[in-house]
């Protein structure tokens, strides 16, 4: 019997958006999942967790029918109900809350559980038509994106496929082996064809760092100082490109003067990186014209993250690396795409000044913080899709307190009984990406892709789009998008955006949205009116908190500094076989990750007599956790690491790692500071 593979697209919140081929065994069953070899970014290579996606699709714990809470909030006691009853109860509660407290007391809440443009963003259509509170999408990219935007002026950069033409690739703040496997494919090709060097900048020895020719390990929150020292040497040793600087940048001589005292010795004190390593890195980068910096979001998850990322983005402007094939830098490709999502999000509904709530501050919002609520009412109802804030949001103490409110109605549309779903009054079963249609763009490569349904939904699962439309009908919400099928709304969106329609997109699978080399590398000018890269950004124009930021690249000591009571800095990077809280339920991922561990340097562990396997307490003013230690010299002294967002039940006490992270908003426009936490560690 022949094997049938159908095309699809990985929907998860990862820069790669891999082109997939999925084995369809029958109308409800999949087998193997592999990368599409014909796609020149995916190149047939995908991560192991997606390759075994059948574990997730056919997991015995998939939600299959609507549920109504019958126990206390968080107790996990539910009874099955029909779809009509479930939707009527949701609609009745949204109407009640709107009547008693106003439409802004309802907060639809979502993020990147799917990156499909319809299934992710369709919730905004209901929000806009009904006048519910808006959502500032700050939890992942806002800090990093504002840092890149500050200099470049647009959310795009060099074509990542150009890495095969690079002589030096710098992976900065990204564990590509675990989170962007396609980057490593390109690195491997550059090494083979051009003997390219790989430099990795990361506070600990990740699987990516293990493959590097040079691994630089700065203390968390000090990347800006490192970048400044590199630029200091580039100017001092005449490794800069003055012709390029004068033509394409705003204040190069002011920058040079500003950096005159930011020497490698100065940076070594701040970063913990030996002075000679900084010297070597500067010489290597300055002498290699075809140098490509692949920036990650990781090092920008701090209070000074946007400022640090901007400092790093200045490097290719100083050397003129943008001139060359295989040169330049990339954070994201988001602005290569121009989908007109008016139908999907109801962007044609007049803006009435509805308040915006910061999703990263969901804890303070639900606890009634007047700074967040402004003059509006407290949040009395939430409808949640595509995210698990009870695990992923910072300041979990406040998040849990907020969700425990008896006067808060919550409906969660989900695939599994997550920690957030356990706090819901109504839980609705959701389809996965192979069980509905969607169109996908990327923030790490150039392809717009079509993902059609491969198998039928299990049980009574319904797609996000269908549930939004079902609710709209009960709430008398009026917009053309509510009356369209998935196929119709995707087709109309593609055509109004001047892309091929759904039939053509389905046939060709993907569309390359890149530009010619001169545009990708800004040789026609950067995305500012004067066409110049900004060494001195207008931070205030990028966000309300920008006024506090330094004018030029520097070390901005705005982080959660260590002290006698909190001598260690905690970062919480991704685990290799998890993706946020996705895949934490699949057996192979759980088996490979084993349990949450506190990674410690021997110099930090030995004074307490802590050895690998010992149970330790980890805490700060927000709370404390108990977990096992893993003592290793793979990280810098003074830094501790907990990989992955494990469910709370993986920790003694039932509370996850984000109990310790702050909900303080980062400059200039907010964002979650997951890697900016001072803690203490004590043996049990």
């Amino acid at each position: 019997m022949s094997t049938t593979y159908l095309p699809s697209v990985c929907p998860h919140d990862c820069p790669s958006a891999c082109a997939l081929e999925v084995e369809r065994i029958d109308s409800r069953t999949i087998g193997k999942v592999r990368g599409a070899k014909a796609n020149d970014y995916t190149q047939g290579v995908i991560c192991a967790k997606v390759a075994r996606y059948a574990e997730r699709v056919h997991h015995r714990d998939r939600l299959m029918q609507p549920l109504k809470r019958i126990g206390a909030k968080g107790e996990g006691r539910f009874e099955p109900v029909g779809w009509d009853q479930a939707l009527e109860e949701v609609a009745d509660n949204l109407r009640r809350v709107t009547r008693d407290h106003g439409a802004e007391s309802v907060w639809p809440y979502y993020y990147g559980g799917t990156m499909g443009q319809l299934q992710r963003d369709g919730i905004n259509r209901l929000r806009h038509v009904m006048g519910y509170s808006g959502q500032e999408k700050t939890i992942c990219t806002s800090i990093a994106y504002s840092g890149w935007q500050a200099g470049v002026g647009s959310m795009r950069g060099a074509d990542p496929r150009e890495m095969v033409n690079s002589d030096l690739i710098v992976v900065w703040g990204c564990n590509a082996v675990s989170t962007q496997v396609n980057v490593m494919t390109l690195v491997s090709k550059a090494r083979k064809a051009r003997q390219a060097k790989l430099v990795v900048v990361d506070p600990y020895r990740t699987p990516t760092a293990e493959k590097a020719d040079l691994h630089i390990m700065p203390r968390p929150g000090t990347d800006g100082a490192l970048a400044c020292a590199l630029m200091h040497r580039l100017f001092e040793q005449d490794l800069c490109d003055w012709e390029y600087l004068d033509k394409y940048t705003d204040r190069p001589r002011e920058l040079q003067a500003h950096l005159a005292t930011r020497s490698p010795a100065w940076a070594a004190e701040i970063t913990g990186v030996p002075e000679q390593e900084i010297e070597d890195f500067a010489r290597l980068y300055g002498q290699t014209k075809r140098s490509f910096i692949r920036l990650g979001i990781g090092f920008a998850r701090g209070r000074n993250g946007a400022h640090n990322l901007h400092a790093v983005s200045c490097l290719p402007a100083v050397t003129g690396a943008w001139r060359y094939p295989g040169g330049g830098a990339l954070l994201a490709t988001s602005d290569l795409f121009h989908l007109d999502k008016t139908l999907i999000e109801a962007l044609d509904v007049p803006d009435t000044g509805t308040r915006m709530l910061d999703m990263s501050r969901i804890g303070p919002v639900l606890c009634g913080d007047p700074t967040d609520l402004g003059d509006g009412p407290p949040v009395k109802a939430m409808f949640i899709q595509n995210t698990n804030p009870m695990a992923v949001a910072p300041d979990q103490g406040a998040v849990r307190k907020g969700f425990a409110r008896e006067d808060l109605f919550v409906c969660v549309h989900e695939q599994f009984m997550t920690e957030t779903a356990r706090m819901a009054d109504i839980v609705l079963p959701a389809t996965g990406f192979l069980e509905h249609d969607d169109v996908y763009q990327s923030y790490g490569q150039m392809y717009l892709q079509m993902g059609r349904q491969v198998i039928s939904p299990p049980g009574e699962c319904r797609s996000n789009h269908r549930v939004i439309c079902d609710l709209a009908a009960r709430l008398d919400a009026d917009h053309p998008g509510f009356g369209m099928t998935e196929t119709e709304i995707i087709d109309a969106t593609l055509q109004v955006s001047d892309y091929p329609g759904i039939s053509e997109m389905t046939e060709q699978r993907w569309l390359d949205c890149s530009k010619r080399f001169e545009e990708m590398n800004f040789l026609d000018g950067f995305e500012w009116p004067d066409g110049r890269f900004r060494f001195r950004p207008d931070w205030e124009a990028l966000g309300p908190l920008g006024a506090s930021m330094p004018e030029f690249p520097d070390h901005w000591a705005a982080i959660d500094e260590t002290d006698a009571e909190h001598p260690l800095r905690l970062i919480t990077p991704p685990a290799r076989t998890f993706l946020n809280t996705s895949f934490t339920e699949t057996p192979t991922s759980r088996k490979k990750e084993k349990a949450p561990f506190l990674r410690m340097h021997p110099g930090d562990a030995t004074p307490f007599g802590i050895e690998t396997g010992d149970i330790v307490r980890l805490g700060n003013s927000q709370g404390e956790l108990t977990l096992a230690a893993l003592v290793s010299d793979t990280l810098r002294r003074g830094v501790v690491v907990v990989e992955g967002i494990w469910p709370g039940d993986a920790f003694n006490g039932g509370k996850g790692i984000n109990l310790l992270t702050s909900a303080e908003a980062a400059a200039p426009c907010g964002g979650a500071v997951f890697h900016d936490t001072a803690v203490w560690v004590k043996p049990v």
Side-chain angles (χ1 to χ4, degrees), residues 631-670:
V631 180
S632 169
D633 64 358
T634 60
L635 63 166
R636 179 166 297 287
R637 188 168 182 176
V639 178
V640 291
V641 176
V642 179
E643 291 185 343
I645 306 178
W646 287 82
D649 61 15
F651 298 83
N652 290 339
K655 297 177 181 178
I657 193 62
N658 281 317
L659 177 69
L660 308 180
T661 58
S662 171
E664 182 180 344
C669 55

XYZ file of all heavy atoms in Angstrom, residues 631-670:
280
model
N 24.750 20.539 38.850
C 25.974 21.324 38.982
C 26.855 21.091 37.759
O 27.162 19.951 37.412
C 26.724 20.959 40.275
C 27.999 21.793 40.413
C 25.813 21.171 41.484
N 27.253 22.193 37.094
C 27.978 22.066 35.827
C 28.786 23.326 35.576
O 28.375 24.437 35.951
C 26.986 21.839 34.689
O 27.597 21.956 33.439
N 29.921 23.177 34.898
C 30.730 24.337 34.534
C 30.345 24.888 33.164
O 31.096 25.646 32.549
C 32.216 23.981 34.557
C 32.586 22.923 33.520
O 31.681 22.442 32.797
O 33.780 22.573 33.437
N 29.159 24.529 32.668
C 28.704 24.982 31.354
C 28.056 26.365 31.403
O 27.517 26.820 30.394
C 27.711 23.981 30.739
O 26.589 23.859 31.609
C 28.365 22.624 30.545
N 28.079 27.012 32.558
C 27.532 28.354 32.647
C 28.461 29.229 33.476
O 29.345 28.728 34.185
C 26.120 28.353 33.220
C 25.850 27.877 34.645
C 24.453 28.305 35.059
C 25.935 26.360 34.764
N 28.264 30.519 33.357
C 29.117 31.462 34.061
C 28.764 31.491 35.537
O 27.594 31.380 35.913
C 28.940 32.858 33.449
C 29.756 33.924 34.127
C 29.826 35.177 33.298
N 30.510 34.949 32.024
C 31.814 34.772 31.901
N 32.590 34.770 32.976
N 32.353 34.575 30.715
N 29.783 31.646 36.367
C 29.537 31.771 37.798
C 28.665 33.006 38.055
O 28.827 34.048 37.427
C 30.859 31.911 38.551
C 30.694 31.846 40.061
C 32.023 31.694 40.764
N 31.830 31.586 42.205
C 32.810 31.366 43.072
N 34.056 31.221 42.638
N 32.555 31.284 44.365
N 27.714 32.857 38.975
C 26.781 33.929 39.268
C 25.495 33.854 38.471
O 24.580 34.650 38.686
N 25.413 32.888 37.524
C 24.221 32.703 36.696
C 23.632 31.332 36.980
O 24.368 30.336 37.069
C 24.562 32.808 35.197
C 23.322 32.562 34.332
C 25.165 34.172 34.883
N 22.328 31.264 37.160
C 21.634 29.978 37.285
C 20.580 29.898 36.187
O 20.041 30.909 35.749
C 20.994 29.783 38.678
C 22.063 29.606 39.738
C 20.068 30.928 39.046
N 20.308 28.664 35.743
C 19.445 28.443 34.579
C 18.403 27.385 34.909
O 18.731 26.327 35.465
C 20.278 27.972 33.357
C 19.377 27.651 32.179
C 21.315 29.020 32.977
N 17.151 27.667 34.562
C 16.085 26.661 34.593
C 15.480 26.630 33.197
O 14.847 27.595 32.767
C 15.007 26.973 35.638
C 13.907 25.898 35.599
C 15.607 27.043 37.039
N 15.686 25.535 32.478
C 15.213 25.441 31.100
C 13.750 25.019 31.045
O 13.317 24.130 31.778
C 16.055 24.425 30.325
C 17.482 24.867 30.066
C 18.253 23.903 29.188
O 17.803 22.743 29.049
O 19.297 24.289 28.650
N 13.014 25.646 30.132
C 11.654 25.216 29.834
C 10.617 25.797 30.770
O 10.911 26.203 31.892
N 9.385 25.847 30.277
C 8.254 26.265 31.110
C 7.494 25.007 31.509
O 6.563 24.569 30.828
C 7.334 27.254 30.389
C 8.144 28.451 29.871
C 6.245 27.757 31.337
C 7.328 29.454 29.095
N 7.947 24.394 32.593
C 7.309 23.183 33.093
C 5.981 23.513 33.765
O 5.831 24.572 34.381
C 8.220 22.501 34.104
C 9.403 21.819 33.516
C 10.586 22.399 33.151
C 9.525 20.424 33.223
N 11.446 21.450 32.641
C 10.819 20.229 32.681
C 8.687 19.326 33.383
C 11.275 18.976 32.286
C 9.136 18.083 32.983
C 10.411 17.917 32.443
N 5.001 22.624 33.691
C 3.771 22.826 34.465
C 4.078 22.942 35.951
O 5.075 22.392 36.439
C 2.949 21.565 34.162
C 3.530 20.993 32.921
C 4.978 21.367 32.922
N 3.222 23.659 36.650
C 3.439 23.845 38.075
C 3.548 22.554 38.846
O 4.287 22.462 39.837
N 2.836 21.509 38.395
C 2.853 20.256 39.148
C 4.187 19.525 39.034
O 4.399 18.512 39.691
C 1.693 19.342 38.742
C 1.723 18.937 37.271
O 2.776 19.107 36.602
O 0.695 18.438 36.772
N 5.125 20.049 38.203
C 6.465 19.474 38.151
C 7.337 19.968 39.305
O 8.434 19.455 39.524
C 7.138 19.815 36.818
N 6.855 20.978 40.035
C 7.567 21.535 41.175
C 6.821 21.203 42.461
O 5.581 21.168 42.477
C 7.660 23.061 41.063
C 8.411 23.556 39.857
C 7.779 23.678 38.628
C 9.737 23.925 39.953
C 8.451 24.149 37.522
C 10.427 24.398 38.849
C 9.782 24.503 37.629
N 7.573 20.990 43.532
C 6.930 20.855 44.831
C 6.219 22.166 45.159
O 6.803 23.240 45.074
C 7.969 20.554 45.924
C 8.556 19.166 45.782
O 7.956 18.291 45.156
N 9.744 18.960 46.337
N 4.946 22.075 45.514
C 4.168 23.276 45.778
C 3.277 23.672 44.622
O 2.402 24.527 44.783
N 3.494 23.066 43.449
C 2.566 23.260 42.336
C 2.672 24.582 41.608
O 1.775 24.940 40.846
N 3.751 25.348 41.804
C 3.897 26.634 41.127
C 5.150 26.617 40.270
O 6.206 26.183 40.716
C 3.950 27.769 42.148
C 2.660 27.905 42.957
C 2.768 29.004 44.006
C 1.481 29.092 44.817
N 1.578 30.118 45.889
N 5.031 27.123 39.041
C 6.112 27.040 38.074
C 7.130 28.159 38.190
O 7.030 29.050 39.045
N 8.095 28.149 37.281
C 9.258 29.032 37.366
C 8.886 30.498 37.274
O 9.565 31.366 37.841
C 10.296 28.660 36.281
C 11.631 29.346 36.561
C 9.772 28.982 34.885
C 12.275 28.955 37.849
N 7.792 30.834 36.605
C 7.439 32.240 36.464
C 6.836 32.836 37.731
O 6.473 34.017 37.739
C 6.502 32.436 35.271
C 7.272 32.431 33.971
O 8.337 33.036 33.856
N 6.756 31.717 32.981
N 6.790 32.051 38.796
C 6.503 32.631 40.104
C 7.562 33.684 40.450
O 7.278 34.666 41.145
C 6.491 31.530 41.173
C 6.280 31.976 42.625
C 4.856 32.486 42.815
C 6.567 30.831 43.588
N 8.783 33.500 39.963
C 9.911 34.345 40.352
C 10.161 35.504 39.401
O 10.913 36.429 39.736
C 11.185 33.496 40.454
C 11.097 32.235 41.319
C 12.437 31.508 41.329
C 10.662 32.577 42.736
N 9.577 35.481 38.195
C 9.842 36.534 37.217
C 8.897 37.709 37.421
O 7.750 37.543 37.831
C 9.717 35.994 35.783
O 8.406 35.461 35.588
C 10.749 34.918 35.519
N 9.384 38.887 37.117
C 8.647 40.123 37.377
C 7.741 40.495 36.214
O 8.044 40.219 35.059
C 9.642 41.259 37.626
O 8.987 42.514 37.690
N 6.642 41.175 36.541
C 5.759 41.732 35.517
C 6.073 43.195 35.234
O 5.304 43.866 34.540
C 4.301 41.594 35.950
N 7.196 43.685 35.731
C 7.594 45.067 35.437
C 7.774 45.238 33.933
O 8.385 44.406 33.270
C 8.894 45.405 36.163
C 9.360 46.839 35.955
C 10.650 47.153 36.684
O 11.026 46.366 37.585
O 11.281 48.167 36.346
N 7.248 46.323 33.394
C 7.310 46.572 31.955
C 8.673 47.122 31.563
O 9.224 48.003 32.227
C 6.217 47.549 31.548
N 9.205 46.607 30.467
C 10.508 47.055 29.974
C 10.341 48.257 29.051
O 9.326 48.423 28.378
C 11.199 45.918 29.224
N 11.371 49.090 28.992
C 11.387 50.226 28.070
C 11.745 49.734 26.659
O 12.442 48.734 26.513
C 12.421 51.250 28.544
N 11.242 50.398 25.609
C 10.451 51.621 25.657
C 8.934 51.406 25.637
O 8.187 52.331 25.921
C 10.877 52.320 24.366
C 11.116 51.187 23.407
C 11.731 50.085 24.242
N 8.472 50.187 25.307
C 7.032 50.010 25.078
C 6.478 48.771 25.768
O 5.477 48.210 25.332
C 6.737 49.949 23.583
S 7.662 48.686 22.689
N 7.107 48.348 26.864
C 6.613 47.183 27.590
C 7.203 45.892 27.077
O 7.852 45.844 26.032
